[in-house]
Amino acid sequence: MIDTDPGVDDAIALLMALSCPSMDIVGLTTTAGNVPVGPATRNTLAILESAGRADIPVARGATRPIRGRYAYARHVHSAEGLTYPLPPPETRTSDTGAVQFMAETLQANPGAVTLIALGPLTNLARLNRNRPSVLQLAKRVFVMGGAVGSPGNSTPHAEFNFYSDPTAARLVIESGVPITLIDMAPCRQVYLTKDDVEGARASTEAGNLAERLLSGWFRQDPTRERFYMYDPLTLVAAVDPNAIRFRSVTMTIDDSESTEDATLWGRCRVLDDAEGPIRVAEPKGVDVQASLRLIRELLGWS
Ligand code: RIB
Ligand code: CA
């Protein structure tokens, strides 16, 4: 189950997941983040339809964060969130909202479902607050977010997903649920250049769409040189346990409960660097070439 806010890198990650033989996607939940939840949900439905997988249920999620307001990143992903025009989706979302869908799916399949969160953690925080024991029914939880011991990409201290809803990030990170966190440090090492995209030869529809999205992203701003694979690397970590080496820590996230200095909101603070429920990547523990190979393989790029 993937919680997502498409967003171009989310779209690439979803296309990889849809092409991955070892993944059976039981459902997608959407959240505002890169764009408001309306476009994020439309994009999710459109991506599934483009891949011939309109059978996968989509449950619409968070409109607003637990506290504050979303920052959005339309300047990065385009006004509607994708850099290639997909036909407006014909399928509808599930009648069930994202939090209820997550709860029902995890309770019906205890210990069997891997949860991958690619956007702000609002849906997961609400699940944990409304149904405290349910999130830990997940087989594993992977989160793209945070900046542990490295600069952020939204502020000097905070990565976008955690900055967008720092209270949700704190509630999930402090929940005690084991989480594998793909933060800024590993993501800064795994990227595609404009030449990588121009040289891509896609053998699948998913790979073609990925190439079009990435070409559109580079065309949007000719000064762009690198497309960082934030969400695709999170997918890689869920598929290949050897791609990234992790260490276990205990952590909290600064939000308005912990500091009035809003420039610190979303900052990751490690409380115990030797043990805890959060697995963070060792800065030198990323197999960059293996990660890029798996991304290209799942996209059918040669
Ligand atoms: O900071 C990068 C993260 O924020 C990615 O998940 C991107 O899609 C945005 O949601
Ligand atoms: Ca995302």
Side-chain angles (χ1 to χ4, degrees):
M1 182 162 50
I2 302 175
D3 190 62
T4 184
D5 63 328
V8 178
D9 64 317
D10 297 71
I12 304 298
L14 294 179
L15 291 167
M16 290 166 55
L18 289 163
S19 310
C20 183
S22 64
M23 276 200 163
D24 171 21
I25 304 176
V26 294
L28 300 178
T29 52
T30 64
T31 176
N34 288 314
V35 289
V37 69
T41 305
R42 278 196 300 278
N43 293 339
T44 302
L45 292 167
I47 291 162
L48 289 176
E49 286 184 11
S50 75
R53 293 304 311 274
D55 59 294
I56 294 175
V58 175
R60 179 182 169 125
T63 303
R64 65 184 63 81
I66 286 185
R67 189 174 289 127
R69 60 177 179 76
Y70 289 125
Y72 302 138
R74 289 172 146 144
H75 59 292
V76 173
H77 298 270
S78 86
E80 290 303 307
L82 295 180
T83 46
Y84 178 79
L86 289 175
E90 293 174 8
T91 38
R92 290 167 35 83
T93 55
S94 159
D95 293 337
T96 306
V99 174
Q100 187 179 342
F101 182 86
M102 282 179 175
E104 291 176 356
T105 303
L106 294 175
Q107 284 176 305
N109 307 278
V113 176
T114 293
L115 176 53
I116 301 172
L118 303 178
L121 294 177
T122 315
N123 291 331
L124 277 72
R126 288 198 171 123
L127 170 66
N128 204 48
R129 185 175 59 185
N130 301 351
R131 319 281 283 274
S133 58
V134 172
L135 189 55
Q136 56 206 10
L137 294 177
K139 178 179 180 185
R140 296 184 297 170
V141 179
F142 291 85
V143 168
M144 193 283 130
V148 183
S150 68
N153 60 357
S154 273
T155 74
H157 307 287
E159 172 278 329
F160 178 83
N161 285 335
F162 282 17
Y163 179 68
S164 296
D165 193 343
T167 297
R170 179 174 59 78
L171 292 172
V172 172
I173 290 295
E174 289 183 347
S175 68
V177 172
I179 288 170
T180 299
L181 186 68
I182 313 312
D183 73 300
M184 286 299 297
C187 293
R188 279 204 171 91
Q189 301 174 50
V190 182
Y191 54 84
L192 292 175
T193 64
K194 196 185 295 186
D195 288 347
D196 291 330
V197 176
E198 286 173 356
R201 293 292 170 268
S203 60
T204 65
E205 262 317 295
N208 269 319
L209 178 52
E211 186 275 328
R212 291 173 188 144
L213 286 162
L214 290 166
S215 299
W217 187 84
F218 279 109
R219 264 199 311 277
Q220 227 180 25
D221 175 348
T223 65
R224 288 172 173 173
E225 294 180 354
R226 292 177 176 180
F227 181 88
Y228 289 102
M229 302 302 265
Y230 299 109
D231 294 342
L233 185 60
T234 308
L235 237 293
V236 165
V239 172
D240 176 3
N242 301 314
I244 302 177
R245 201 171 59 247
F246 294 94
R247 72 184 193 279
S248 294
V249 301
T250 301
M251 210 165 72
T252 187
I253 310 297
D254 282 329
D255 68 349
S256 55
E257 297 277 308
S258 53
T259 173
E260 290 178 4
D261 181 350
T263 66
L264 298 179
W265 292 357
R267 178 179 66 168
C268 296
R269 271 191 295 124
V270 174
L271 304 175
D272 183 334
D273 200 27
E275 63 178 353
I278 309 300
R279 297 169 76 225
V280 292
E282 291 287 4
K284 297 192 182 324
V286 182
D287 187 333
V288 173
Q289 292 315 313
S291 300
L292 286 169
R293 269 198 309 274
L294 182 54
I295 290 169
R296 299 177 75 98
E297 178 190 329
L298 291 178
L299 294 177
W301 280 18
S302 55

